[in-house]
Amino acid sequence: MTIPRFASAFRSRRAALATGAAAALGILMSAMPAAAQDKPIKVGMTTDLTGIAAAYARSQVNGVQLAIDQLNASGGLLGRKLELLVRDSQLKPDLGTSHTRDLITRENVDFLIGPDGSAVGMTVSAVAKQYKKVVMMTIPNTPRLTTETFHPYVFTVVPSGLMEARAMAEAIGPGNKRIAFIGGDYEAAHQGLKYFKDWLAKVNPSAQVVGEAWPKLGEPDYSSYITSLMSSKPDVIFSYLWGADLIGFVKQGKPYGVFDKTKVASLVFLDDMKALGSEMPDGLIAQMRAPFFAIEGDRMTKFVEQYRAKYNDYPADWAIMGYEGLQILAQSIKQANSLESDAIVKAVEQVKYDGLRGPISFRAIDHQGTVGSYIGTVTKSDKYPFKTLTHVKYVPAEKIWPTPAEIEQARAAVK
C-alpha cells in the first residue's frame, strides 16, 4: 500500500511543478510585449550646434525637446515615451550624412527632425530617402528639398527660399527701382537672389538689381562689400545675410551711414535682434519666419509662457518651428496608430494641425506646409528687452509658393 501512495504523491508533485513552470512561462510571455512597449520612440536630429548657426540650432533643439517633454508628461505616443537623440553636423554636409546614417542604422531612430543649414538638409534628406525614414524639416529652406530632390518621406514647416524671396520682392515695393544685393556665398543665397529677380520682374518690372556682393560665410570684414554696394546708389539693399554674418554687416555698416543713406531689407531672426540690442537699426525692413511677438492667439501666448518657464528665454523662430514640426509628427503618428514610415507619410499628408502660427497642412505634390512669411519694420519695444517689428504683414503660403507646373518643370530639368 505504501508504494502506490508514494508514486501517486510523486506524480502529483511533478504535475504541480509542471503547472507552476507553465504559469511562470505564461507570465514571462505576457510580460514581453509590455517590455517592448517600454522601449522609447527615438527621434533623431542632425543639426548644426557648431558654427555661425549654433544659436539657431540650440533654439531648435529646445523647441523639439519642449514638445517631447509635454508629450511624455501626457503619456507619450502609442503608450511609449519619446527620446531625442541629437548629433552636431557643424554645418558640414558630410557629417550630416554620416550622423544621420548612424542615427538610423545604429540608434534605430523611428523618425527624423531638423536639421539647420540647407546644405546639411539636402544630405539628411538623401539619407532619409535611402532608408525610408520620415524627416520633418524645421529650418532648411532650399527649394530643392521640395522640388528637384523631393521624395515621399520629406516634409517641411518652413517657407522655402523661393517663397521668402517672392515675399521680399513684393515688400520692397514699386517705389524702389535700384536694388543692391548682399548674401553669403552659398546655395540658399544664390537661389534666393534668382527667385527674387524672377518675382521682381513680375511685381516691379521697372526695378533692377544694380549690384551684388557675395562674402563667404563667416566673413570678418565687410568694408569692401559695403563700399561697393553703396557706390551703386541703391534705393534698397536686399540682404540675405543671417546670424553672425548679419550682425557683422550691421555693426560695420553703421559707420558708413548705410542705414541712414538707404533702406535695407533683410532676413532677421530673434537671435539677431537679441545679439544686436540697441544697435539693431530702426526702420530696417525685416522678414521673419515665426515672430512670436507678432502672432496673436492663446496658443502662442501659452507656448511663450511654457518656453520661458523651461528655458528662461523667449522662443526664436527655430524653437517655434521645431516645436510645431514635432507636434505635427506626433499628431500624425497617433492618427496612423503606427510608426511605420509609409503609414506616417499618409497621415501627415492628411493632417490638419492647429499650430502656433495658425492652421498647417501639407500639399501632396511637394509636402510644403502652409506656412507663410512675416514682414515688418524694426522698431524699439517697450515690452521686450530687444527690438521687435511694427506694421507686420503676413504673406500666406498660397500667394508665394510655386505652382504645380513650376514644380514639375524644376523636377523635369534634373531628370
Side-chain angles (χ1 to χ4, degrees), residues 32-260:
M32 287 180 65
Q37 287 185 344
D38 287 340
K39 290 179 60 177
I41 294 173
K42 293 184 178 181
V43 184
M45 176 186 283
T46 300
T47 194
D48 305 302
L49 292 163
T50 302
I52 64 172
Y56 299 175
R58 286 193 295 270
S59 181
Q60 174 193 40
V61 172
N62 287 348
V64 172
Q65 188 63 60
L66 178 58
I68 288 175
D69 290 347
Q70 291 177 353
L71 287 162
N72 285 342
S74 63
L77 282 176
L78 309 183
R80 296 163 60 184
K81 300 293 187 180
L82 291 92
E83 177 185 356
L84 179 63
L85 286 73
V86 182
R87 300 289 184 269
D88 180 11
S89 45
Q90 303 176 34
L91 280 175
K92 298 177 181 178
D94 59 331
L95 286 181
T97 297
S98 59
H99 285 330
T100 305
R101 183 172 288 118
D102 181 73
L103 285 168
I104 294 172
T105 60
R106 189 171 67 85
E107 298 289 357
N108 297 312
V109 297
D110 295 287
F111 55 87
L112 302 162
I113 193 165
D116 192 331
S118 285
V120 176
M122 292 288 289
T123 64
V124 170
S125 179
V127 177
K129 177 183 179 181
Q130 178 185 357
Y131 291 96
K132 297 183 178 180
K133 286 290 181 181
V134 173
V135 56
M136 181 66 70
M137 297 291 175
T138 65
I139 296 182
N141 74 332
T142 170
R144 294 179 64 198
L145 285 168
T146 54
T147 54
E148 299 168 26
T149 65
F150 173 76
H151 59 85
Y153 302 99
V154 65
F155 294 85
T156 178
V157 291
V158 193
S160 73
L162 179 151
M163 295 164 66
E164 288 183 326
R166 287 179 172 181
M168 186 63 85
E170 295 200 7
I172 285 177
N176 300 297
K177 305 300 182 186
R178 299 178 59 83
I179 301 167
F181 175 86
I182 181 168
D185 192 7
Y186 76 118
E187 179 181 10
H190 282 278
Q191 287 186 337
L193 179 58
K194 174 187 179 301
Y195 295 125
F196 175 82
K197 287 179 175 179
D198 291 345
W199 206 248
L200 190 68
K202 177 179 179 180
V203 300
N204 190 4
S206 60
Q208 59 179 325
V209 175
V210 295
E212 299 177 19
W214 297 98
K216 67 179 184 294
L217 291 175
E219 172 62 53
D221 184 3
Y222 286 89
S223 56
S224 62
Y225 301 105
I226 291 169
T227 55
S228 174
L229 290 173
M230 296 305 290
S231 68
S232 67
K233 301 187 185 322
D235 298 318
V236 182
I237 295 174
F238 170 29
S239 159
Y240 210 98
L241 301 172
W242 46 273
D245 288 348
L246 176 63
I247 292 166
F249 173 72
V250 169
K251 289 185 174 182
Q252 294 176 41
K254 281 199 165 187
Y256 289 89
V258 170
F259 303 96
D260 299 320

Side-chain angles (χ1 to χ4, degrees), residues 292-312:
F292 77 89
F293 49 79
I295 301 174
E296 299 179 351
D298 293 340
R299 289 180 182 274
M300 181 61 79
T301 300
K302 184 177 181 181
F303 170 77
V304 173
E305 292 172 353
Q306 293 168 335
Y307 191 90
R308 283 183 56 72
K310 183 173 178 64
Y311 300 112
N312 192 31

Side-chain angles (χ1 to χ4, degrees), residues 324-339:
E324 288 185 320
L326 197 285
Q327 290 285 10
I328 288 169
L329 285 170
Q331 182 174 319
S332 301
I333 289 168
K334 287 179 182 177
Q335 181 178 319
N337 194 31
S338 172
L339 288 171

